[in-house]
Amino acid sequence: MDDFLKLSDDWGELQNGGSIVPYGIGRIGRRVIPTLLKEFKVPFLVDKKKDSEEVFGLRVCDLREAAPLIKERNLKIVVTTVRSSYDEISKELTLCGFREYQDFCMFERFAEEWNLRWRNKCVLSKIDTVITSRCTLKCRNCNLFIGYANQHADMELCELQRNFDTFFGSVDFVYEYTLLGGEPFLHAELEQIFSYLMEKYGDRIGKVNLISNGTVVPCDTVLELMKKYEMSVHISDYTQTVKYEKKLVEVIEAFSKKGIEYYVIPNNTWKDVKYPGEEFTAEKPREHMLLCGHSTHSVGNGKLYWCDPAFAAECFTGFKAMEDDSLDLIKNRENNSKHQATLNILKYMLGDVNERGYMSICEKCAGVGKDNSVIVTAGLQMNS
């Protein structure tokens, strides 16, 4: 077996109606657990905070309550949180006597490795696509470098359609597909984007999510399509810095009236990623890349990128990326067997991006990981 594959062989028993226990009912958990419920038995959920007694009709336990039940029934734990939270949870589980890759793993590895090994399918946990560099704000520290873009424009519909086709030509299923910008609700052909993506590939997507700054009220047609396709919206609230409270209320009301799932996240601070406004050089770029908490793999122009900033730096700021920074999906599919092509994608998504071991942008971008302690106010405008 390839050394990159970590899960113990008994994870394969899940094929025969085995049970898993998702750990984490935050934003990630609430987006992916409904799909997991269609595929696996889930007796209960685990969450550190335990703000709710029941979610999706399942009892929520804290780890102290859940640990003996999990051991008694020999259940597998899938940590459904962001990458930056996984290390802490991993330590807690280890202290309880659970072993990584034998008893538990992060959701991304489970989704990708388990489906490759026991279903020979290419299944990804999450992917993003930038659909526009146009935005209503011009944030000084935007980690997609929108304020530094050479030009601001919507990605052409035909290019986005080609990108979707290329992606799903290699990927059988993705738990969460996120569309973002810029401000995605500015895209002039959003209705056509939704219709094409969902009519052709909706049965291969667990959840479609959009990330918005809450400054644009979508038209009724867009709202109707979002309701039809059960999309959700992550609304970043920058009103502590930029005064648009009234518009934000209008946006929230529009989603609420249509019954569209949304999350409002107060963004008070960001990590200062430095690039491209300030000089930064990573001393250990491989470690730096893995510490970065983006966990936002991107697909654009038919290529996989380790993170959205890697795509944005190349496409918006003219950053001279190296050829092996991204994975060309068409070449990968044409030059390899289904299994090997999927393994190449899995390795890339889990951090084995190239022979160097890191993206070249990681040498210049300070990232948002634990090794970056420079905090700035979120939403500060470039002209302020």
Side-chain angles (χ1 to χ4, degrees):
M1 184 176 71
D2 193 295
D3 290 341
F4 190 80
L5 303 175
K6 303 291 186 182
L7 298 181
S8 56
D9 290 340
D10 61 341
W11 284 79
E13 296 173 10
L14 292 175
Q15 297 178 95
N16 304 315
S19 299
I20 63 170
V21 176
Y23 187 138
I25 57 171
R27 293 196 306 277
I28 302 299
R30 289 173 187 263
R31 290 173 189 166
V32 304
I33 289 172
T35 304
L36 289 172
L37 289 171
K38 297 176 184 178
E39 302 177 274
F40 303 98
K41 296 176 182 177
V42 179
F44 54 87
L45 305 171
V46 180
D47 194 75
K48 188 174 182 179
K49 295 181 180 178
K50 196 182 175 182
D51 293 330
S52 305
E53 291 295 325
E54 189 174 285
V55 174
F56 303 123
L58 295 169
R59 179 164 60 106
V60 180
C61 306
D62 59 29
L63 183 56
R64 183 171 58 179
E65 178 187 6
L69 299 174
I70 293 170
K71 290 177 180 178
E72 179 184 346
R73 299 173 61 178
N74 195 29
L75 303 174
K76 299 297 186 185
I77 305 167
V78 179
V79 181
T80 50
T81 67
V82 295
R83 184 188 298 267
S84 57
S85 299
Y86 177 74
D87 288 344
E88 181 181 348
I89 293 172
S90 177
K91 290 176 183 177
E92 293 175 351
L93 290 171
T94 301
L95 287 173
C96 289
F98 297 110
R99 299 157 298 176
E100 188 178 28
Y101 305 134
Q102 293 181 290
D103 304 311
F104 71 91
C105 69
M106 67 178 180
F107 172 69
E108 183 175 15
R109 178 169 288 278
F110 173 71
E112 295 167 13
E113 180 176 337
W114 191 87
N115 280 283
L116 169 63
R117 289 177 60 186
W118 288 287
R119 288 180 175 170
N120 195 31
K121 288 188 175 182
C122 185
V123 175
L124 304 185
S125 59
K126 185 180 187 299
I127 202 74
D128 294 354
T129 289
V130 176
I131 63 172
T132 183
S133 61
R134 292 198 296 139
C135 192
T136 51
L137 303 178
K138 196 174 183 182
C139 299
R140 185 188 305 168
N141 302 103
C142 173
N143 62 32
L144 291 189
F145 324 124
I146 297 298
Y148 296 92
N150 298 324
Q151 59 180 359
H152 296 89
D154 294 340
M155 304 298 179
E156 292 187 8
L157 178 62
C158 61
E159 290 297 326
L160 289 170
Q161 291 172 337
R162 206 161 20 240
N163 188 60
F164 296 147
D165 293 342
T166 299
F167 178 75
F168 285 104
S170 294
V171 175
D172 296 301
F173 187 85
V174 58
Y175 277 86
E176 184 179 354
Y177 203 128
T178 299
L179 304 175
L180 67 159
E183 171 51 53
F185 290 112
L186 289 178
H187 199 292
E189 297 177 290
L190 203 55
E191 299 162 29
Q192 293 90 327
I193 293 172
F194 287 173
S195 296
Y196 188 88
L197 178 62
M198 299 307 293
E199 292 301 322
K200 289 197 72 172
Y201 304 113
D203 60 343
R204 293 161 66 180
I205 302 172
K207 189 76 171 180
V208 173
N209 181 51
L210 288 92
I211 297 180
S212 170
N213 59 29
T215 60
V216 177
V217 179
C219 69
D220 285 343
T221 306
V222 167
L223 290 170
E224 291 291 345
L225 287 173
M226 292 180 68
K227 177 63 176 177
K228 174 183 177 181
Y229 297 126
E230 299 181 342
M231 297 178 175
S232 65
V233 189
H234 171 141
I235 304 173
S236 298
D237 177 1
Y238 303 126
T239 55
Q240 287 196 4
T241 307
V242 184
K243 300 303 178 184
Y244 61 96
E245 290 88 348
K246 184 177 178 181
K247 179 60 69 174
L248 179 60
V249 170
E250 290 180 31
V251 170
I252 291 171
E253 287 180 350
F255 292 132
S256 183
K257 286 178 180 178
K258 290 291 184 181
I260 295 168
E261 183 181 37
Y262 66 88
Y263 307 87
V264 179
I265 311 300
N267 281 267
N268 302 322
T269 60
W270 286 337
K271 294 288 185 75
D272 185 358
V273 298
K274 305 293 185 184
Y275 178 86
E278 300 177 41
E279 187 66 26
F280 170 83
T281 303
E283 294 182 4
K284 297 180 179 180
R286 168 67 177 173
E287 294 178 19
H288 177 58
M289 185 190 85
L290 294 179
L291 281 172
C292 189
H294 271 295
S295 191
T296 52
H297 309 301
S298 197
V299 60
N301 303 322
K303 297 186 289 186
L304 280 181
Y305 293 82
W306 166 255
C307 62
D308 293 333
F311 169 83
E314 180 180 323
C315 294
F316 298 158
T317 73
F319 178 80
K320 301 300 181 184
M322 299 185 71
E323 186 175 353
D324 62 359
D325 279 343
S326 56
L327 179 65
D328 188 306
L329 290 173
I330 292 178
K331 290 181 180 178
N332 183 53
R333 184 177 71 238
E334 291 178 345
N335 297 334
N336 296 286
S337 66
K338 162 78 171 179
H339 179 88
Q340 186 59 51
T342 300
L343 181 59
N344 292 343
I345 292 173
L346 184 153
K347 286 183 175 182
Y348 186 91
M349 297 286 279
L350 290 174
D352 192 2
V353 295
N354 50 37
E355 290 186 3
R356 296 189 314 282
Y358 62 88
M359 307 283 292
S360 54
I361 186 62
C362 296
E363 296 179 303
K364 300 296 182 184
C365 178
V368 295
K370 296 177 181 178
D371 58 342
N372 182 359
S373 59
V374 182
I375 305 297
V376 293
T377 301
L380 285 174
Q381 299 298 285
M382 292 187 72
N383 58 357
S384 63

